[in-house]
Amino acid sequence: MAFQLRPYQSESINVSIDFLHGNSNENALVILPTGSGKSVVIAKILEPLEGKTIVLQPSKEILEQNYEKFSNYGKASIYSASAGEKRIDKVTFCTIGSVINKKHLFKGLKNILIDECHLVNSDAGMYNEFIKSFPEAKVLGLTATPYRLETTSEGSQLTFLTRSNPRIFDKVLYYVQNDVLFNAGYLAELEYYNFDIIDRSKLEVNSSGTDFTQTSLRRYYKSIDMPSRIVKTAFSILSKRKNILIFCSLIEEAVAVQKRIPGSAILTGDTKKEERERILALFKKGSIRCLINVGVLTTGFDYPALESVLMARSTMSLSLYYQIVGRVMRIFTYPDGTKKKGWFIDMGGNINFFGKIETMKIQVDQEGRFAIWNNGRQLTNVPFQK
Protein backbone atom coordinates (compact mmCIF):
# COMPACT_ATOMS: atom_id res chain seq x y z
CA MET A 1 0.00 0.00 0.00
CA ALA A 2 1.37 3.42 -0.97
CA PHE A 3 2.18 5.81 1.85
CA GLN A 4 -0.76 8.18 2.40
CA LEU A 5 0.22 11.77 3.07
CA ARG A 6 -1.80 13.69 5.62
CA PRO A 7 -3.68 16.73 4.25
CA TYR A 8 -1.41 19.32 5.87
CA GLN A 9 1.65 17.42 4.65
CA SER A 10 0.40 17.51 1.06
CA GLU A 11 -0.44 21.20 1.34
CA SER A 12 2.95 22.16 2.79
CA ILE A 13 4.78 20.06 0.18
CA ASN A 14 2.89 21.59 -2.74
CA VAL A 15 3.36 25.22 -1.70
CA SER A 16 7.05 24.57 -0.95
CA ILE A 17 7.69 23.01 -4.36
CA ASP A 18 5.87 25.88 -6.07
CA PHE A 19 8.00 28.36 -4.14
CA LEU A 20 11.28 26.61 -5.02
CA HIS A 21 10.27 26.40 -8.68
CA GLY A 22 9.10 30.03 -8.75
CA ASN A 23 10.78 33.37 -9.27
CA SER A 24 10.50 34.89 -5.79
CA ASN A 25 13.74 36.23 -4.34
CA GLU A 26 12.40 36.09 -0.78
CA ASN A 27 13.39 33.47 1.80
CA ALA A 28 10.39 31.48 3.04
CA LEU A 29 9.35 29.65 6.18
CA VAL A 30 7.24 26.50 6.76
CA ILE A 31 5.99 25.86 10.32
CA LEU A 32 5.09 22.29 11.29
CA PRO A 33 4.61 21.11 14.89
CA THR A 34 6.83 18.50 16.53
CA GLY A 35 5.59 15.04 15.56
CA SER A 36 3.98 16.25 12.33
CA GLY A 37 6.26 14.18 10.07
CA LYS A 38 8.61 16.95 8.99
CA SER A 39 11.18 14.50 7.62
CA VAL A 40 8.53 13.11 5.26
CA VAL A 41 7.64 16.63 4.13
CA ILE A 42 11.30 17.44 3.48
CA ALA A 43 11.74 14.21 1.49
CA LYS A 44 8.73 14.91 -0.72
CA ILE A 45 9.78 18.52 -1.29
CA LEU A 46 13.19 17.34 -2.46
CA GLU A 47 11.90 14.61 -4.74
CA PRO A 48 10.96 16.74 -7.83
CA LEU A 49 13.57 19.49 -7.46
CA GLU A 50 16.03 20.22 -10.25
CA GLY A 51 19.55 21.50 -9.72
CA LYS A 52 21.99 21.17 -6.86
CA THR A 53 20.25 21.16 -3.46
CA ILE A 54 21.48 20.92 0.11
CA VAL A 55 19.61 20.29 3.34
CA LEU A 56 21.24 21.86 6.39
CA GLN A 57 20.75 20.33 9.85
CA PRO A 58 22.15 21.31 13.25
CA SER A 59 23.04 17.76 14.34
CA LYS A 60 24.00 14.30 13.15
CA GLU A 61 20.84 12.79 14.66
CA ILE A 62 18.46 15.04 12.72
CA LEU A 63 20.55 14.64 9.56
CA GLU A 64 20.32 10.85 9.77
CA GLN A 65 16.54 10.96 10.28
CA ASN A 66 16.02 13.20 7.23
CA TYR A 67 18.49 11.27 5.07
CA GLU A 68 16.92 7.92 5.93
CA LYS A 69 13.45 9.20 5.05
CA PHE A 70 14.57 10.68 1.70
CA SER A 71 16.37 7.44 0.80
CA ASN A 72 12.91 5.93 0.27
CA TYR A 73 12.24 8.43 -2.52
CA GLY A 74 15.53 9.27 -4.20
CA LYS A 75 19.32 9.25 -4.23
CA ALA A 76 21.30 11.60 -2.01
CA SER A 77 24.60 11.89 -0.17
CA ILE A 78 25.84 13.10 3.20
CA TYR A 79 28.51 15.72 3.83
CA SER A 80 29.09 15.73 7.57
CA ALA A 81 32.14 15.03 9.68
CA SER A 82 29.99 13.95 12.65
CA ALA A 83 28.15 11.42 10.46
CA GLY A 84 31.46 10.08 9.12
CA GLU A 85 30.72 10.71 5.45
CA LYS A 86 31.69 13.47 3.02
CA ARG A 87 30.16 13.09 -0.42
CA ILE A 88 28.28 15.54 -2.63
CA ASP A 89 25.36 14.64 -4.88
CA LYS A 90 22.45 16.41 -6.54
CA VAL A 91 20.85 16.35 -3.06
CA THR A 92 23.28 16.56 -0.15
CA PHE A 93 22.41 16.39 3.53
CA CYS A 94 24.88 18.47 5.55
CA THR A 95 25.62 19.67 9.04
CA ILE A 96 26.36 23.39 8.88
CA GLY A 97 29.71 23.09 10.69
CA SER A 98 31.04 20.67 8.04
CA VAL A 99 30.27 22.87 5.02
CA ILE A 100 30.83 26.41 6.27
CA ASN A 101 34.44 26.37 5.04
CA LYS A 102 33.68 24.21 1.99
CA LYS A 103 31.38 26.60 0.14
CA HIS A 104 33.47 26.28 -3.03
CA LEU A 105 32.29 22.66 -3.34
CA PHE A 106 28.69 23.82 -3.84
CA LYS A 107 29.15 26.18 -6.76
CA GLY A 108 25.90 26.56 -8.70
CA LEU A 109 23.78 25.70 -5.66
CA LYS A 110 20.11 26.20 -6.51
CA ASN A 111 18.17 25.29 -3.33
CA ILE A 112 18.97 25.54 0.38
CA LEU A 113 16.60 23.81 2.82
CA ILE A 114 17.22 24.45 6.52
CA ASP A 115 15.70 22.16 9.14
CA GLU A 116 15.31 23.56 12.69
CA CYS A 117 15.71 26.98 11.06
CA HIS A 118 14.99 28.85 14.29
CA LEU A 119 18.71 28.29 14.94
CA VAL A 120 19.57 30.69 12.11
CA ASN A 121 20.95 33.91 13.58
CA SER A 122 19.94 36.80 11.32
CA ASP A 123 22.78 38.98 12.64
CA ALA A 124 25.73 36.63 12.19
CA GLY A 125 26.79 33.01 12.47
CA MET A 126 27.52 30.12 10.14
CA TYR A 127 24.03 29.84 8.63
CA ASN A 128 23.97 33.53 7.81
CA GLU A 129 27.41 33.37 6.21
CA PHE A 130 26.52 30.31 4.15
CA ILE A 131 23.22 31.72 2.87
CA LYS A 132 24.78 35.03 1.87
CA SER A 133 27.42 33.18 -0.13
CA PHE A 134 24.73 31.88 -2.50
CA PRO A 135 22.52 34.90 -3.34
CA GLU A 136 20.93 33.10 -6.30
CA ALA A 137 19.80 30.08 -4.29
CA LYS A 138 16.24 29.66 -3.02
CA VAL A 139 16.10 29.40 0.78
CA LEU A 140 13.35 27.47 2.58
CA GLY A 141 13.38 27.02 6.35
CA LEU A 142 11.34 24.51 8.37
CA THR A 143 10.71 24.56 12.12
CA ALA A 144 8.21 23.83 14.88
CA THR A 145 9.34 26.86 16.90
CA PRO A 146 9.47 29.91 14.58
CA TYR A 147 11.02 32.40 16.98
CA ARG A 148 14.43 33.41 18.22
CA LEU A 149 15.93 35.41 21.05
CA GLU A 150 16.53 39.06 20.20
CA THR A 151 17.63 42.10 22.19
CA THR A 152 15.47 45.17 21.60
CA SER A 153 15.23 48.66 23.06
CA GLU A 154 12.65 47.26 25.51
CA GLY A 155 14.89 44.36 26.55
CA SER A 156 15.19 40.73 25.55
CA GLN A 157 12.29 39.05 23.80
CA LEU A 158 11.42 36.12 21.60
CA THR A 159 10.94 37.46 18.11
CA PHE A 160 8.98 35.69 15.38
CA LEU A 161 11.47 34.84 12.62
CA THR A 162 9.74 37.03 10.02
CA ARG A 163 9.78 40.01 12.42
CA SER A 164 13.45 40.10 13.40
CA ASN A 165 15.68 43.01 12.43
CA PRO A 166 17.65 42.17 10.37
CA ARG A 167 15.90 39.04 9.19
CA ILE A 168 16.67 35.96 7.13
CA PHE A 169 13.12 34.76 6.49
CA ASP A 170 10.84 37.20 4.69
CA LYS A 171 7.53 35.38 4.71
CA VAL A 172 5.58 32.46 6.15
CA LEU A 173 4.77 30.10 3.32
CA TYR A 174 2.68 27.64 5.29
CA TYR A 175 1.73 26.80 8.88
CA VAL A 176 -0.58 24.40 10.67
CA GLN A 177 -1.90 24.95 14.18
CA ASN A 178 -1.12 22.48 16.94
CA ASP A 179 -4.77 21.78 17.73
CA VAL A 180 -5.45 20.69 14.15
CA LEU A 181 -3.02 17.80 14.54
CA PHE A 182 -4.22 16.88 18.03
CA ASN A 183 -7.89 16.94 17.01
CA ALA A 184 -7.17 14.78 13.94
CA GLY A 185 -5.38 12.18 16.07
CA TYR A 186 -1.99 12.80 14.46
CA LEU A 187 -0.45 13.60 17.84
CA ALA A 188 -0.84 11.68 21.08
CA GLU A 189 -3.46 12.85 23.55
CA LEU A 190 -1.65 14.61 26.40
CA GLU A 191 -2.38 14.49 30.10
CA TYR A 192 -0.81 17.33 32.09
CA TYR A 193 0.14 17.09 35.76
CA ASN A 194 1.27 20.26 37.50
CA PHE A 195 2.94 19.97 40.91
CA ASP A 196 4.32 23.53 41.23
CA ILE A 197 7.24 22.37 43.37
CA ILE A 198 9.41 25.32 42.30
CA ASP A 199 8.58 28.88 43.31
CA ARG A 200 9.76 30.85 40.25
CA SER A 201 9.72 34.11 42.23
CA LYS A 202 12.70 32.85 44.23
CA LEU A 203 14.85 32.36 41.10
CA GLU A 204 17.07 35.03 39.57
CA VAL A 205 16.96 35.95 35.91
CA ASN A 206 20.23 35.98 33.93
CA SER A 207 21.80 39.14 32.48
CA SER A 208 20.03 38.74 29.14
CA GLY A 209 16.69 38.39 30.90
CA THR A 210 15.91 35.15 29.10
CA ASP A 211 16.20 32.40 31.71
CA PHE A 212 17.17 31.62 35.28
CA THR A 213 20.76 31.60 36.51
CA GLN A 214 22.39 28.32 37.49
CA THR A 215 23.53 29.96 40.74
CA SER A 216 19.98 30.74 41.83
CA LEU A 217 18.78 27.31 40.69
CA ARG A 218 21.53 25.56 42.63
CA ARG A 219 20.83 27.57 45.79
CA TYR A 220 17.07 27.12 45.64
CA TYR A 221 17.15 23.43 44.71
CA LYS A 222 19.40 22.77 47.70
CA SER A 223 17.01 24.58 50.03
CA ILE A 224 14.05 22.39 48.97
CA ASP A 225 16.07 19.17 48.44
CA MET A 226 15.05 19.00 44.78
CA PRO A 227 16.62 15.59 44.04
CA SER A 228 14.48 13.92 46.73
CA ARG A 229 11.35 15.48 45.27
CA ILE A 230 12.27 14.35 41.76
CA VAL A 231 12.96 10.78 42.92
CA LYS A 232 9.64 10.56 44.79
CA THR A 233 7.73 11.86 41.75
CA ALA A 234 9.60 9.55 39.36
CA PHE A 235 8.82 6.43 41.43
CA SER A 236 5.15 7.41 41.46
CA ILE A 237 5.11 7.77 37.67
CA LEU A 238 7.03 4.53 37.09
CA SER A 239 4.40 2.63 39.09
CA LYS A 240 1.89 3.55 36.37
CA ARG A 241 3.94 4.07 33.18
CA LYS A 242 6.41 1.88 31.27
CA ASN A 243 9.08 4.55 30.94
CA ILE A 244 9.99 8.10 31.89
CA LEU A 245 12.33 10.76 30.52
CA ILE A 246 13.43 13.32 33.13
CA PHE A 247 14.76 16.79 32.27
CA CYS A 248 16.98 18.33 34.96
CA SER A 249 18.68 21.73 35.08
CA LEU A 250 21.96 20.79 36.75
CA ILE A 251 24.34 17.87 36.27
CA GLU A 252 24.95 17.36 40.00
CA GLU A 253 21.19 17.25 40.54
CA ALA A 254 20.75 14.65 37.76
CA VAL A 255 23.57 12.52 39.20
CA ALA A 256 21.95 12.59 42.65
CA VAL A 257 18.64 11.46 41.14
CA GLN A 258 20.22 8.68 39.07
CA LYS A 259 21.96 7.20 42.11
CA ARG A 260 18.62 6.80 43.89
CA ILE A 261 16.61 5.21 41.07
CA PRO A 262 17.84 1.63 40.48
CA GLY A 263 18.41 0.74 36.83
CA SER A 264 18.21 4.35 35.65
CA ALA A 265 20.71 6.06 33.36
CA ILE A 266 21.93 9.59 32.80
CA LEU A 267 22.91 11.60 29.72
CA THR A 268 24.70 14.96 29.69
CA GLY A 269 26.61 16.93 27.12
CA ASP A 270 29.76 15.19 28.38
CA THR A 271 28.48 11.68 27.64
CA LYS A 272 30.59 10.08 24.91
CA LYS A 273 28.88 9.32 21.58
CA GLU A 274 29.15 5.52 21.87
CA GLU A 275 27.86 5.53 25.45
CA ARG A 276 24.99 7.82 24.51
CA GLU A 277 23.93 5.55 21.65
CA ARG A 278 24.17 2.48 23.90
CA ILE A 279 22.00 4.10 26.60
CA LEU A 280 19.38 5.29 24.10
CA ALA A 281 19.19 1.83 22.53
CA LEU A 282 18.59 0.23 25.94
CA PHE A 283 15.98 2.86 26.81
CA LYS A 284 14.07 2.23 23.58
CA LYS A 285 14.37 -1.52 24.13
CA GLY A 286 12.85 -1.16 27.60
CA SER A 287 15.91 -2.40 29.50
CA ILE A 288 16.25 1.09 30.98
CA ARG A 289 12.91 2.52 32.14
CA CYS A 290 14.13 5.82 33.58
CA LEU A 291 16.43 8.13 31.64
CA ILE A 292 17.64 11.38 33.19
CA ASN A 293 19.19 14.03 30.99
CA VAL A 294 20.56 17.56 31.18
CA GLY A 295 20.19 19.60 27.98
CA VAL A 296 20.66 16.68 25.57
CA LEU A 297 17.37 15.23 24.36
CA THR A 298 15.35 18.37 23.66
CA THR A 299 15.56 17.97 19.85
CA GLY A 300 16.31 15.11 17.49
CA PHE A 301 15.14 12.41 19.90
CA ASP A 302 12.37 10.46 18.18
CA TYR A 303 10.84 7.72 20.33
CA PRO A 304 7.06 7.41 19.80
CA ALA A 305 6.68 4.80 22.57
CA LEU A 306 7.84 7.29 25.23
CA GLU A 307 4.99 7.43 27.74
CA SER A 308 5.97 10.15 30.20
CA VAL A 309 8.15 13.23 30.51
CA LEU A 310 9.03 14.80 33.85
CA MET A 311 10.16 18.42 33.51
CA ALA A 312 12.03 18.83 36.79
CA ARG A 313 13.05 22.42 36.10
CA SER A 314 11.73 25.91 35.47
CA THR A 315 12.45 27.83 32.30
CA MET A 316 11.55 31.11 30.63
CA SER A 317 12.36 29.60 27.23
CA LEU A 318 9.23 28.90 25.20
CA SER A 319 11.27 26.90 22.70
CA LEU A 320 12.75 24.68 25.41
CA TYR A 321 9.33 24.10 26.99
CA TYR A 322 7.77 23.25 23.62
CA GLN A 323 10.57 20.88 22.65
CA ILE A 324 10.46 19.06 26.00
CA VAL A 325 6.70 18.51 25.81
CA GLY A 326 7.22 17.49 22.18
CA ARG A 327 9.20 14.41 23.22
CA VAL A 328 5.97 12.74 24.41
CA MET A 329 3.62 14.08 21.71
CA ARG A 330 4.35 11.49 19.04
CA ILE A 331 1.53 9.08 18.26
CA PHE A 332 1.97 5.43 19.22
CA THR A 333 -0.38 2.43 18.95
CA TYR A 334 0.02 -0.53 21.31
CA PRO A 335 -0.27 -4.15 20.05
CA ASP A 336 -3.86 -4.33 21.34
CA GLY A 337 -4.81 -1.36 19.14
CA THR A 338 -5.12 1.25 21.89
CA LYS A 339 -3.43 4.63 21.50
CA LYS A 340 -0.78 6.00 23.81
CA LYS A 341 -1.67 8.87 26.12
CA GLY A 342 1.39 10.98 26.78
CA TRP A 343 1.94 12.18 30.34
CA PHE A 344 3.64 15.52 30.88
CA ILE A 345 4.52 16.13 34.52
CA ASP A 346 5.71 19.62 35.42
CA MET A 347 7.55 20.54 38.62
CA GLY A 348 8.59 24.05 37.57
CA GLY A 349 5.44 26.11 36.98
CA ASN A 350 5.95 25.91 33.22
CA ILE A 351 2.40 24.86 32.35
CA ASN A 352 0.99 27.86 34.23
CA PHE A 353 3.54 30.15 32.58
CA PHE A 354 3.21 29.01 28.93
CA GLY A 355 -0.07 27.09 28.79
CA LYS A 356 -0.82 23.77 27.14
CA ILE A 357 0.62 22.97 23.72
CA GLU A 358 -2.83 22.19 22.29
CA THR A 359 -4.02 25.76 22.88
CA MET A 360 -0.87 27.48 21.60
CA LYS A 361 -1.72 29.45 18.44
CA ILE A 362 0.00 31.25 15.61
CA GLN A 363 -1.89 34.52 15.13
CA VAL A 364 -1.61 37.14 12.38
CA ASP A 365 -2.71 40.73 13.03
CA GLN A 366 -4.29 43.14 10.57
CA GLU A 367 -0.86 44.30 9.40
CA GLY A 368 0.21 40.74 8.58
CA ARG A 369 2.53 40.39 11.59
CA PHE A 370 2.89 36.92 13.10
CA ALA A 371 3.08 36.07 16.81
CA ILE A 372 2.57 33.10 19.15
CA TRP A 373 -0.34 33.37 21.60
CA ASN A 374 -1.77 31.10 24.29
CA ASN A 375 -4.96 31.64 26.28
CA GLY A 376 -5.08 35.35 25.48
CA ARG A 377 -1.41 35.97 26.28
CA GLN A 378 1.13 36.98 23.65
CA LEU A 379 4.34 34.95 24.00
CA THR A 380 6.51 36.37 21.19
CA ASN A 381 7.41 39.95 20.25
CA VAL A 382 6.83 41.14 23.82
CA PRO A 383 9.46 41.84 26.50
CA PHE A 384 10.28 38.91 28.78
CA GLN A 385 8.41 38.78 32.06
CA LYS A 386 9.35 36.47 34.91
Side-chain angles (χ1 to χ4, degrees), residues 101-265:
N101 294 320
K102 302 291 183 180
K103 294 185 284 290
H104 60 281
L105 299 177
F106 297 93
K107 188 176 180 180
L109 187 62
K110 191 169 182 180
N111 305 296
I112 301 174
L113 273 66
I114 307 173
D115 195 10
E116 307 293 345
C117 69
H118 55 277
L119 298 173
V120 176
N121 185 342
S122 58
D123 286 321
M126 291 188 288
Y127 285 103
N128 192 313
E129 178 185 333
F130 192 90
I131 291 168
K132 288 184 175 179
S133 298
F134 300 95
E136 301 301 318
K138 293 291 183 63
V139 177
L140 177 67
L142 300 97
T143 183
T145 52
Y147 34 82
R148 186 175 170 84
L149 177 64
E150 189 175 73
T151 302
T152 71
S153 58
E154 297 181 322
S156 297
Q157 66 176 31
L158 283 177
T159 301
F160 207 92
L161 294 181
T162 54
R163 296 176 64 178
S164 64
N165 185 23
R167 67 185 181 191
I168 293 290
F169 298 99
D170 304 294
K171 63 181 180 181
V172 175
L173 204 61
Y174 183 88
Y175 67 92
V176 60
Q177 303 285 15
N178 292 329
D179 65 344
V180 171
L181 274 65
F182 280 104
N183 292 340
Y186 296 136
L187 295 177
E189 181 182 343
L190 296 181
E191 294 185 3
Y192 293 83
Y193 299 91
N194 187 355
F195 290 111
D196 276 345
I197 298 295
I198 300 168
D199 182 351
R200 296 167 74 100
S201 69
K202 289 184 165 46
L203 301 177
E204 297 171 2
V205 179
N206 60 23
S207 58
S208 64
T210 58
D211 217 332
F212 302 113
T213 66
Q214 288 215 341
T215 300
S216 68
L217 289 169
R218 190 169 284 112
R219 181 175 61 245
Y220 181 65
Y221 287 177
K222 183 177 180 180
S223 72
I224 64 170
D225 190 9
M226 188 65 174
S228 292
R229 293 170 182 254
I230 296 171
V231 170
K232 181 180 178 181
T233 305
F235 275 127
S236 175
I237 297 165
L238 285 169
S239 69
K240 304 175 182 71
R241 306 253 78 185
K242 293 179 181 178
N243 51 45
I244 182 174
L245 177 60
I246 302 177
F247 287 85
C248 290
S249 298
L250 309 170
I251 291 178
E252 61 264 37
E253 167 200 10
V255 169
V257 171
Q258 191 267 330
K259 287 179 178 177
R260 294 164 63 178
I261 301 179
S264 64

Side-chain angles (χ1 to χ4, degrees), residues 303-324:
Y303 180 35
L306 179 64
E307 291 192 347
S308 57
V309 162
L310 173 58
M311 190 170 179
R313 57 169 298 171
S314 293
T315 185
M316 290 174 63
S317 168
L318 173 60
S319 179
L320 180 63
Y321 170 71
Y322 181 92
Q323 296 287 1
I324 288 176

Side-chain angles (χ1 to χ4, degrees), residues 14 66 80 88 114 148 160 174 236 283 291 312 337 351 354 382:
N14 290 337
N66 288 335
S80 169
I88 296 172
I114 307 173
R148 186 175 170 84
F160 207 92
Y174 183 88
S236 175
F283 185 57
L291 181 56
I351 298 171
F354 296 112
V382 291

Side-chain angles (χ1 to χ4, degrees), residues 2-146:
F3 179 79
Q4 184 68 43
L5 290 170
R6 299 168 182 173
Y8 69 87
Q9 291 175 332
S10 295
E11 292 167 6
S12 60
I13 290 163
N14 290 337
V15 296
S16 298
I17 291 171
D18 288 345
F19 165 74
L20 293 169
H21 282 160
N23 297 317
S24 172
N25 59 2
E26 295 180 304
N27 297 339
L29 184 63
V30 170
I31 304 164
L32 297 171
T34 295
S36 61
K38 187 149 51 73
S39 59
V40 172
V41 170
I42 290 174
K44 296 298 286 184
I45 291 171
L46 293 170
E47 194 177 11
L49 294 185
E50 299 294 333
K52 190 179 291 186
T53 300
I54 67 168
V55 187
L56 295 174
Q57 289 93 177
S59 71
K60 176 181 80 74
E61 289 76 19
I62 295 174
L63 180 150
E64 289 174 344
Q65 288 175 23
N66 288 335
Y67 175 76
E68 180 183 3
K69 192 65 66 175
F70 181 69
S71 297
N72 297 322
Y73 302 98
K75 184 173 177 290
S77 65
I78 292 174
Y79 197 99
S80 169
S82 58
E85 187 175 339
K86 289 188 175 182
R87 292 190 302 108
I88 296 172
D89 212 316
K90 178 187 169 185
V91 175
T92 308
F93 289 80
C94 313
T95 44
I96 184 63
S98 294
V99 298
I100 187 62
N101 294 320
K102 302 291 183 180
K103 294 185 284 290
H104 60 281
L105 299 177
F106 297 93
K107 188 176 180 180
L109 187 62
K110 191 169 182 180
N111 305 296
I112 301 174
L113 273 66
I114 307 173
D115 195 10
E116 307 293 345
C117 69
H118 55 277
L119 298 173
V120 176
N121 185 342
S122 58
D123 286 321
M126 291 188 288
Y127 285 103
N128 192 313
E129 178 185 333
F130 192 90
I131 291 168
K132 288 184 175 179
S133 298
F134 300 95
E136 301 301 318
K138 293 291 183 63
V139 177
L140 177 67
L142 300 97
T143 183
T145 52

